[in-house]
Amino acid sequence: MSASQNESPSPQISFDDFMKVDIRVGTIVEAAPFPEARKPAIRLVIDFGMPLGRKKSSAQITRHYEPEGLIGRQVLAVVNFPSRQIGPMMSEVLTLGVPDREGEVVLIGPSIQVPEGGRLY
């Protein structure tokens, strides 16, 4: 069991607080190894459609995914966090996942194809 499975639930928040976190669906259009990252990662370019366009993300997903298998996959990402420098790259969105039994990241996304840019609600 991973550490996050043992964590207590976060404190309650209001619906307005939840709506401040902008989580959108996008399609991975580029994926490449990212050896410059401190921890093993894959560099992603995700297309969120207009008006967001394409955004870069560094994702620590090397346990379950190979870059070439990610192209065309839809994922969820937080699009309104500040950009963050990861090695030589500025990561613009936080790609979302959940831990497997060993704590390795499993990506989350819609079970059927949906239009890019759709907001989680």
Side-chain angles (χ1 to χ4, degrees):
M1 189 167 350
S2 73
S4 67
Q5 291 170 312
N6 292 325
E7 292 176 10
S8 297
S10 297
Q12 283 191 348
I13 60 172
S14 71
F15 184 75
D16 289 340
D17 288 337
F18 170 72
M19 291 305 294
K20 291 177 185 175
V21 181
D22 194 350
I23 301 172
R24 305 279 179 131
V25 65
T27 302
I28 298 172
V29 294
E30 294 177 32
F34 190 24
E36 301 91 349
R38 204 168 0 122
K39 295 181 180 178
I42 297 175
R43 180 189 326 240
L44 303 174
V45 176
I46 305 168
D47 187 356
F48 292 96
M50 294 311 290
L52 291 171
R54 293 180 174 196
K55 302 288 183 184
K56 294 180 281 185
S57 182
S58 171
Q60 295 174 5
I61 56 173
T62 57
R63 176 70 181 262
H64 296 298
Y65 305 98
E66 294 293 330
E68 56 276 0
L70 292 168
I71 306 299
R73 181 186 183 103
Q74 289 194 305
V75 293
L76 292 174
V78 177
V79 299
N80 66 333
F81 283 158
S83 295
R84 185 171 179 194
Q85 189 75 43
I86 308 289
M89 183 186 95
M90 190 63 79
S91 185
E92 301 171 294
V93 298
L94 175 65
T95 306
L96 298 176
V98 293
D100 69 7
R101 292 186 187 275
E102 288 79 41
E104 299 293 335
V105 178
V106 176
L107 293 170
I108 58 173
S111 58
I112 61 172
Q113 205 71 12
V114 298
E116 279 95 7
R119 186 170 180 170
L120 178 76
Y121 57 82

